[in-house]
Amino acid sequence: MAVQSVESNTTVALGPAVALSCRECGERFPLGPIFACEHCFGPLEVAYELPTGDPEALRKRIEAGPGNIWRYAPLLPVPADVADKPNLNPGLTKLVKADNLARELGVTGGLYVKDDSGNPTHSFKDRVVAIAVEAARAFGFTTLSCSSTGNLAGAVGAAAARAGFRSCVFIPHDLEAGKVVMAAVYGGELVGIEGTYDDVNRFCSELIGDPLGEGWGFVNVNLRPYYGEGSKTLAYEICEQLGWRLPDQIVIPIASGSQLTKIDKGLKELIALGLVEDRPYKIFGAQAEGCSPVSTAFKAGHDVVRPQRPNTIAKSLAIGNPADGPYVLDIARRTGGAVEDVTDEQIVDAIKLLARTEGIFAETAGGVTVGVTRKLIEDGVLDPSLTTVVLNTGDGLKTLDAVSPTTGPTATIRPSLDAFRAAGLAG
């Protein structure tokens, strides 16, 4: 189902990517700017012919590669010379061994925070946009666009500026000020839509089918199959940083659910390639209580995710009708994990806990994952004796409003030692 005047191209060079495959019926289509199966309307994803041969040789090839996601180019839908093209080159962010946080939570098996705030625009969205940029180049698009809860808008604006594309991105009108400024500063067009993210997404779907959208690559719509593959690099990096081994447990925030499903895909690819030992792992999804359609379905034992109207400070996760929700349920159940949610108050407490113990200032989505991790441990669902990785997907400077009402100076004093002593701060 072509959705643009830019036509599918069966000869496009996107590395090991050979086709698009329907996640529901398995039907295959040529590589192109399409995102839904024309037979069953299921979502499409990239199918590959991945490298074969000696796993150790592939490990060495990866380790000798660039210090960013392009070290995994042999496993991604990108051209072989991707590292030579103008791109933001995200990835290879820190995997922090969080011993202080582990003590607070009672984790004995090793606790790690994958801190993706170190990416160029300070969120994991730089990973997915980097892949989408290469697809946009391959298909001849001239404008990059997206519907966004904030982080993606900034990532698209920055990547477009670097790669020489025009950008026009769409956001809900009431986003955090920091995210609005960051999306606008790169010089592209930023359009606020009155309504929720789901309203923004519906508008973008209409624009794609209109002549006004001709030549536009919407990274999370008509380029979504390629875009989503960027999240696999989180799985690759975590395993490489753990010494080429799988984590026992991983806690992942849920917005659309794509990140969680693609991390699972990446872990399975590493197993199939022999890069890691094949052994069980559990995937846990994390949501805010004020937007918890997947968590609600999981707890009720449902296979259908019923949409909700978001009402939470975790605006980057405020997608009331998550496209990959059913697949998240399947993965959580298949791996023996779970999907849980926390209140806004618990989110703020978790942001402060991570900052106080590990010096990592997470945005609200990171507060969700840390808060859910704590809740899962307290409820006996997550095993504290196993190696656990928690994702922080963005920088707390983007969501200052969440913590500013309860965070500020310990005291304000006159510039004198007597005033300092009187404040009781001398230790």
Side-chain angles (χ1 to χ4, degrees):
M1 182 179 72
V3 294
Q4 283 273 358
S5 62
V6 180
E7 296 181 356
S8 299
N9 183 349
T10 56
T11 62
V12 67
L14 289 176
V18 294
L20 296 178
S21 175
C22 177
R23 289 162 72 177
E24 291 296 325
C25 71
E27 186 73 22
R28 285 201 168 198
F29 301 88
L31 297 172
I34 57 175
F35 61 96
C37 175
E38 64 184 25
H39 300 290
C40 73
F41 301 105
L44 301 181
E45 67 176 0
V46 179
Y48 297 93
E49 288 181 0
L50 292 175
T52 58
D54 180 15
E56 185 58 33
L58 181 55
R59 278 195 208 99
K60 290 181 179 178
R61 178 181 175 186
I62 290 171
E63 291 169 352
N68 51 56
I69 63 171
W70 305 135
R71 68 201 286 113
Y72 308 109
L75 313 180
L76 296 171
V78 294
D81 62 347
V82 62
D84 299 326
K85 297 177 181 292
N87 202 296
L88 292 181
N89 301 327
L92 212 61
T93 55
K94 293 179 180 179
L95 183 68
V96 179
K97 193 167 189 300
D99 291 340
N100 297 329
L101 179 61
R103 282 191 291 272
E104 289 270 354
L105 300 182
V107 176
T108 58
L111 180 64
Y112 297 83
V113 175
K114 181 59 172 170
D115 186 12
D116 242 25
S117 66
N119 277 310
T121 70
H122 309 289
S123 90
F124 91 95
K125 291 295 188 182
D126 290 321
R127 297 175 181 271
V128 291
V129 171
I131 306 294
V133 164
E134 297 310 313
R137 282 191 176 115
F139 302 135
F141 288 116
T142 55
T143 298
L144 286 184
S145 187
C146 69
S147 52
S148 173
T149 57
N151 283 328
L152 181 57
V156 168
R162 171 71 177 136
F165 286 87
R166 171 181 178 252
S167 70
C168 182
V169 300
F170 301 89
I171 59 173
H173 69 286
D174 59 350
L175 283 188
E176 302 96 334
K179 289 182 179 177
V180 173
V181 171
M182 190 166 192
V185 75
Y186 300 109
E189 291 163 289
L190 176 67
V191 181
I193 300 290
E194 295 178 359
T196 68
Y197 171 80
D198 296 295
D199 297 319
V200 179
N201 205 35
R202 280 192 293 272
F203 169 79
C204 289
S205 296
E206 292 177 13
L207 182 56
I208 287 174
D210 190 275
L212 287 170
E214 184 173 341
W216 288 40
F218 285 79
V219 300
N220 55 343
V221 188
N222 57 347
L223 295 176
R224 188 176 184 83
Y226 313 94
Y227 158 95
E229 297 295 285
S231 288
K232 295 193 311 181
T233 61
L234 279 161
Y236 300 157
E237 287 180 20
I238 288 168
C239 291
E240 182 181 354
Q241 290 168 323
L242 287 174
W244 291 108
R245 63 185 178 91
L246 295 166
D248 297 314
Q249 304 172 133
I250 183 167
V251 185
I252 305 168
I254 299 171
S256 71
S258 175
Q259 183 186 67
L260 187 148
T261 63
K262 290 304 187 289
I263 287 176
D264 178 62
K265 182 180 181 181
L267 296 176
K268 291 192 291 185
E269 287 177 350
L270 293 179
I271 292 169
L273 290 165
L275 294 175
V276 296
E277 179 186 354
D278 185 2
R279 57 185 181 81
Y281 60 87
K282 295 182 179 181
I283 291 183
F284 297 88
Q287 292 202 289
E289 185 181 273
C291 186
S292 54
V294 187
S295 173
T296 299
F298 181 86
K299 293 175 184 178
H302 295 162
D303 295 325
V304 176
V305 177
R306 298 183 63 181
Q308 296 181 358
R309 190 163 189 85
N311 182 21
T312 174
I313 60 171
K315 297 188 182 210
S316 62
L317 304 183
I319 297 180
N321 188 18
D324 280 26
Y327 302 106
V328 170
L329 293 174
D330 291 343
I331 290 167
R333 290 166 179 157
R334 189 196 80 231
T335 65
V339 186
E340 187 54 271
D341 56 79
V342 285
T343 66
D344 283 358
E345 183 179 2
Q346 290 171 317
I347 292 168
V348 173
D349 287 345
I351 290 171
K352 292 182 177 181
L353 174 63
L354 181 60
R356 174 171 58 81
T357 56
E358 300 298 340
I360 297 172
F361 184 18
E363 73 162 20
T364 48
V368 169
T369 52
V370 173
V372 163
T373 300
R374 177 162 57 182
K375 187 173 181 179
L376 290 171
I377 292 171
E378 291 172 351
D379 291 346
V381 177
L382 191 146
D383 189 341
S385 70
L386 298 179
T387 301
T388 304
V389 176
V390 178
L391 265 61
N392 172 43
T393 52
D395 195 319
L397 291 174
K398 294 187 174 191
T399 55
L400 289 173
D401 289 351
V403 294
S404 59
T406 57
T407 307
T410 303
T412 301
I413 64 172
R414 299 186 308 278
S416 73
L417 292 176
D418 287 342
F420 183 65
R421 291 190 187 95
L425 301 174

